Structures are given as C-alpha cells and as structure tokens.
Amino acid sequence: GENVEQHPSTLSVQEGDSAVIKCTYSDSASNYFPWYKQELGKGPQLIIDIRSNVGEKKDQRIAVTLNKTAKHFSLHITETQPEDSAVYFCAATGGYQKVTFGTGTKLQVIP
Amino acid sequence: GAGVSQSPRYKVAKRGQDVALRCDPISGHVSLFWYQQALGQGPEFLTYFQNEAQLDKSGLPSDRFFAERPEGSVSTLKIQRTQQEDSAVYLCASSLLSQGNNQPQHFGDGTRLSIL
C-alpha cells in the first residue's frame, strides 16, 4: 500500500517568513495530492491540491510543487500570519480516492 | 449547514459497551469515508462507501467495527465491545463521485471517543 512520509514534524517561523513542508510517497500510481489544515478540535480542511499532470499550483500565499519522478511534493506558505498556526497534513490518493495521510507538521507562527 | 455533520461530538463509554457514531455527508455526495485519528497522528482510512455499497473495509481494525449506509446518505459506524485502544477521533468525509478522477474529500469535525 501507499506510504507517505512528512517532515518536519514541528516548524516555528516568525510572522512574515515563509514555511515549507515536504512529503514523499511510495506508490507511483498515486495521482492526486491534497493538503489539509487541521485546527484543534476541528476536522481537516482542504487548503490546496495538485494532480499528477501538474508540477506546480499556487493560490494566494500557498503553493504546492510536485515531482513525480522523485515522488515528492511540497507545501510553501509565504508571508505567514498567526492564523496559519495549525497542523498540516499532506496526503496521496490513487485509485478510487483512498487517501493516505502523512504524519502531520505542527506549524507555529510567532507574532 | 452545508458541511459534513457528525454526532455526537464527544462520546464516553465504559470498556465493553457498544457505541454508534453518525455521519451526515454533504447532500449529493456519493462517496463517504470513515477515518480513525489517534492523538498526534494523521487520519487513517477505515472504510469507503459509494452510495449504499461498502466497497472497501480493509482499514477496519477488527470484526468489532461495523459500518453501514443503508440508503446511500447517512452512515453509522458501530463499535462493539469497546476497548481502550478504540479511543480516538473518528472522522467522516464525503466527496462527489467522478469517473476515474479523484475529488476533494470534505471532512466533518469528528467524534472524540473515550473508552474508560
């Protein structure tokens, strides 16, 4: 089955700086890579996703890159704000939508 | 509300009791998923429905876990003879069905289950 590794597990940045989270996956058949933000006591919320036929996608301060050859993908958050503080999960999906999540990155943005 | 709704939000049960967790997916969403999230971990897949058909239950930890979606809308996850290791947050997600193309999954806020 699919295995997704994510790092770092914790990340502290100063407000306004950038944050980068990296993930690798094992199953070359995976073709959809969503990123989720989870706040305390809430369910994961989709923030951006990328499909295997695209190398990069951007939405305002958030961007994702995908390298299918190397089987890794990354989340980039620029101009971080305190409200960006949360746990972020990468995920990989193949086949009929079965999602395998990474272990999460706890991001702390220091005002 | 237009999102995925789960109830109860919190459930405390004694070891050995049976529990039932409910999920109301987004209206019109064909696919429904259950996940288990242990403290400090990512969600782990339990089972998947397409309408009323349970197409994959490979993630269910044991035969004490049972899920159903009889009318292709609301789903219930049942855990029989609960054990302490069942303590976790149980998340439900739904998505539109798209032929051969993955669609985003929308999650509820989960049910936090504590087994004493």
Side-chain angles (χ1 to χ4, degrees):
Chain A
E2 176 65 275
N3 180 50
V4 177
E5 295 188 356
Q6 179 174 350
H7 59 93
S9 57
T10 60
L11 179 59
S12 291
V13 300
Q14 292 289 330
E15 182 178 357
D17 287 350
S18 295
V20 180
I21 302 170
K22 298 183 178 181
C23 291
T24 60
Y25 63 99
S26 61
D27 188 351
S28 57
S30 290
N31 57 16
Y32 174 64
F33 306 90
W35 285 85
Y36 287 89
K37 174 184 181 182
Q38 189 173 28
E39 297 176 331
L40 198 61
K42 299 287 188 181
Q45 178 187 12
L46 181 74
I47 55 173
I48 196 167
D49 56 12
I50 190 167
R51 300 185 187 277
S52 59
N53 58 347
V54 175
E56 184 174 357
K57 182 177 179 181
K58 188 174 182 180
D59 182 4
Q60 299 183 347
R61 297 186 296 109
I62 297 174
V64 291
T65 58
L66 171 65
N67 182 328
K68 282 218 71 178
T69 303
K71 296 198 191 73
H72 64 71
F73 55 117
S74 301
L75 176 72
H76 304 251
I77 306 174
T78 59
E79 301 171 21
T80 53
Q81 301 168 2
E83 52 265 37
D84 294 331
S85 296
V87 179
Y88 291 80
F89 291 98
C90 62
T93 309
Y96 58 80
Q97 306 184 60
K98 180 176 179 178
V99 180
T100 302
F101 284 83
T103 49
T105 297
K106 184 175 183 179
L107 174 64
Q108 181 185 22
V109 179
I110 303 167
Chain B
V4 176
S5 179
Q6 292 187 247
S7 60
R9 290 280 286 121
Y10 304 92
K11 177 68 178 178
V12 179
K14 293 183 179 179
R15 185 164 54 92
Q17 289 183 330
D18 298 348
V19 298
L21 313 179
R22 177 188 169 104
C23 173
D24 282 87
I26 294 172
S27 178
H29 278 194
V30 171
S31 299
L32 185 145
F33 303 81
W34 284 98
Y35 294 85
Q36 181 188 62
Q37 186 174 25
L39 190 63
Q41 301 295 316
E44 292 195 358
F45 171 83
L46 294 177
T47 187
Y48 160 59
F49 290 86
Q50 186 179 116
N51 293 307
E52 68 278 4
Q54 189 174 21
L55 299 186
D56 188 341
K57 54 182 181 179
S58 62
L60 296 177
S62 75
D63 58 8
R64 296 186 296 104
F65 286 71
F66 172 77
E68 61 182 2
R69 195 185 184 199
E71 297 179 359
S73 179
V74 171
S75 177
T76 303
L77 176 67
K78 298 179 180 178
I79 309 174
Q80 297 177 322
R81 304 181 303 281
T82 52
Q83 301 177 5
Q84 285 193 321
E85 60 261 32
D86 298 336
S87 296
V89 175
Y90 290 86
L91 295 164
C92 176
S94 69
S95 72
L96 289 169
L97 178 67
S98 179
Q99 296 295 331
N101 196 20
N102 288 295
Q103 292 296 312
Q105 294 186 18
H106 302 268
F107 283 81
D109 286 337
T111 293
R112 181 175 294 277
L113 176 63
S114 297
I115 305 300
L116 305 180

